[in-house]
Amino acid sequence: MSVFDSAFDETVTSWVLVYFTDSDPGKEFEIIPRTRISVQDNVELRPRLRVKVFYGKAKLEAYVVRESGDYYYLKENFKSLASQYTQDMVLNSIFVYDAEFQQKWECSLAEIEEVQVPAANGTMVLDPAVILEQYNTLKVRFDDLYRVQNEMRSTIVVLVERVQALTEKCERNEKNKETKDDTKDKTETKDKADTKDKTDDKKDDKKTEKTPKPKEKEVEEVEEEEDDDDMVYIGENRTPIPKDVYQTINWNSCSAATRKLLMAVFSKDILATHSLTGKPSPAFLNANKETKKKLDATKTSDIIDIVTRRCRVPATAVRNAITTKCADENKMCKKRKLRHSQ
């Protein structure tokens, strides 16, 4: 966990420490201006409030840790605030606030008004009976919310277990199907090759027997299998990936698979100085910041293609993962430059 001085801007009046859910380990927390958060001005940024943060042209999901007008307070207490939030997040991993829940809760609190009755001396005092009734009403609402939370927790645990079981079953079925298809294709290819060899031998006995394998190469290209140079070629543009890296990719996680492929195709310097689109972010049009170059479109297209197919996710999820990875590498690059300059 770290914080970067290069993010400080004297014109900003409110800063927010946020937690990004899809960032690499150790890069989840960041101090950003409130203006980069997509939320109404009248909504209070309470801890664990789920928000959308502008990152380039993308909107990344994040959770509020702490808001403050003092940037250096957040910087000095960065590690303690992040550690405390991590502990709270583990204890409350199912039930989190969002803007809609917060507005409903504030409306409920606004309904409770101080009820005054005239006293003997003509002054106005609070009626204890009315206050007690309002307190009991609020307590019942809170108990209902707590009960709903526990029901949601149990339901979500059951659903997660079912999804995991179905995912494992689908993976087993897919592997079995791929194995059967491979066996069938290889058998057909071998039969055709043997037939062709016999025909050639009859025409010219002096020729050496050869077993052509053009069909096997076509199958390998479609299924992204390794070639003779220990590389795997993905997508229509046949972007090369080292076989040992490709075999360790976790296809159960869209973000993890995308980051693995990006690191195999691009260097850290390229990821730090380039972006998916190469266009300036709308949030920084007036900041006089240098526009990043665009990543090789053929390679990013192949990465998006294979991740959407293997992880079964929409292309927007892969693009967001690419944007997040470039942002993380950019922060790490700035940190390295600051360390070397000291």
Side-chain angles (χ1 to χ4, degrees):
M1 294 180 293
S2 58
V3 63
F4 306 103
D5 291 332
S6 59
F8 179 70
D9 186 348
E10 294 181 353
T11 62
V12 178
T13 59
S14 181
W15 296 87
V16 185
L17 176 60
V18 295
Y19 169 80
F20 289 102
T21 56
D22 293 332
S23 289
D24 291 338
K27 306 174 185 177
E28 307 96 329
F29 294 92
E30 184 178 350
I31 300 175
I32 63 173
R34 180 190 171 103
T35 53
R36 285 180 54 192
I37 297 179
S38 176
V39 67
Q40 296 179 0
D41 294 337
N42 59 347
V43 175
E44 180 183 355
L45 297 182
R46 296 181 178 178
R48 293 175 41 231
L49 176 68
R50 181 167 47 212
V51 295
K52 294 289 186 180
V53 177
F54 290 105
Y55 225 117
K57 282 196 171 183
K59 283 186 179 181
L60 305 182
E61 183 177 275
Y63 292 90
V64 175
V65 178
R66 180 69 63 87
E67 179 183 16
S68 175
D70 187 353
Y71 172 83
Y72 291 102
Y73 164 77
L74 295 177
K75 176 186 175 182
E76 293 173 359
N77 297 275
F78 184 84
K79 289 186 177 180
S80 60
L81 291 173
S83 298
Q84 183 61 43
Y85 178 83
T86 303
Q87 296 176 7
D88 295 342
M89 181 175 59
V90 173
L91 296 175
N92 304 277
S93 58
I94 301 300
F95 184 71
V96 297
Y97 293 109
D98 57 23
E100 182 179 359
F101 174 82
Q102 178 177 337
Q103 291 175 348
K104 291 182 179 179
W105 180 250
E106 290 177 348
C107 291
S108 299
L109 292 177
E111 295 174 359
I112 300 177
E113 301 176 353
E114 293 184 351
V115 179
Q116 297 181 335
V117 297
N121 57 1
T123 60
M124 303 297 286
V125 297
L126 297 177
D127 186 349
V130 176
I131 294 177
L132 180 60
E133 180 181 355
Q134 293 178 346
Y135 168 78
N136 290 333
T137 301
L138 182 60
K139 185 175 183 301
V140 170
R141 293 180 180 178
F142 178 80
D143 290 340
D144 289 341
L145 287 173
Y146 189 76
R147 176 181 53 79
V148 171
Q149 172 190 347
N150 290 333
E151 292 176 355
M152 291 175 60
R153 189 189 302 271
S154 301
T155 302
I156 290 176
V157 169
V158 173
L159 290 176
V160 169
E161 292 177 351
R162 291 181 179 178
V163 170
Q164 290 177 344
L166 289 174
T167 301
E168 293 176 356
K169 183 178 180 180
C170 291
E171 290 178 351
R172 289 195 299 269
N173 292 338
E174 185 176 355
K175 290 181 179 179
N176 293 335
K177 182 179 179 181
E178 290 178 354
T179 302
K180 292 180 180 179
D181 292 341
D182 289 344
T183 303
K184 182 178 179 181
D185 292 342
K186 290 179 180 179
T187 302
E188 292 178 353
T189 303
K190 184 178 180 180
D191 292 342
K192 292 180 180 179
D194 291 342
T195 303
K196 189 175 185 303
D197 285 343
K198 292 179 180 179
T199 303
D200 292 340
D201 289 341
K202 290 180 180 180
K203 292 181 178 179
D204 190 357
D205 294 336
K206 295 182 180 180
K207 293 183 179 180
T208 305
E209 293 184 1
K210 297 181 180 180
T211 305
K213 300 181 179 180
K215 296 297 182 179
E216 290 182 357
K217 290 186 178 179
E218 294 178 4
V219 173
E220 289 177 354
E221 292 176 4
V222 174
E223 298 184 356
E224 296 91 19
E225 292 185 357
E226 63 270 16
D227 208 335
D228 293 337
D229 55 355
D230 292 332
M231 302 293 286
V232 177
Y233 297 91
I234 63 173
E236 295 181 355
N237 304 299
R238 290 179 54 81
T239 298
I241 306 293
K243 181 176 66 175
D244 56 344
V245 174
Y246 185 84
Q247 291 175 344
T248 61
I249 295 177
N250 178 17
W251 298 110
N252 293 325
S253 172
C254 163
S255 60
T258 304
R259 291 196 298 267
K260 196 86 170 181
L261 290 169
L262 286 171
M263 293 301 295
V265 175
F266 302 104
S267 67
K268 290 185 177 181
D269 291 337
I270 293 295
L271 293 174
T273 57
H274 290 61
S275 66
L276 180 61
T277 62
K279 298 180 181 178
S281 167
F284 301 103
L285 288 178
N286 299 324
N288 295 325
K289 288 193 173 184
E290 182 180 356
T291 302
K292 294 182 179 180
K293 298 179 182 179
K294 183 179 180 181
L295 291 171
D296 190 329
T298 58
K299 296 179 180 180
T300 55
S301 174
D302 287 341
I303 292 175
I304 293 173
D305 175 68
I306 189 172
V307 175
T308 53
R309 290 191 293 106
R310 294 298 300 269
C311 296
R312 299 181 180 179
V313 295
T316 54
V318 187
R319 293 192 182 96
N320 285 340
I322 295 175
T323 300
T324 301
K325 180 60 178 175
C326 290
D328 288 341
E329 291 299 331
N330 180 262
K331 288 186 289 185
M332 294 303 297
C333 180
K334 291 180 179 178
K335 182 179 178 182
R336 290 193 295 270
K337 290 181 179 178
L338 286 174
R339 189 186 301 118
H340 293 157
S341 64
Q342 293 177 352

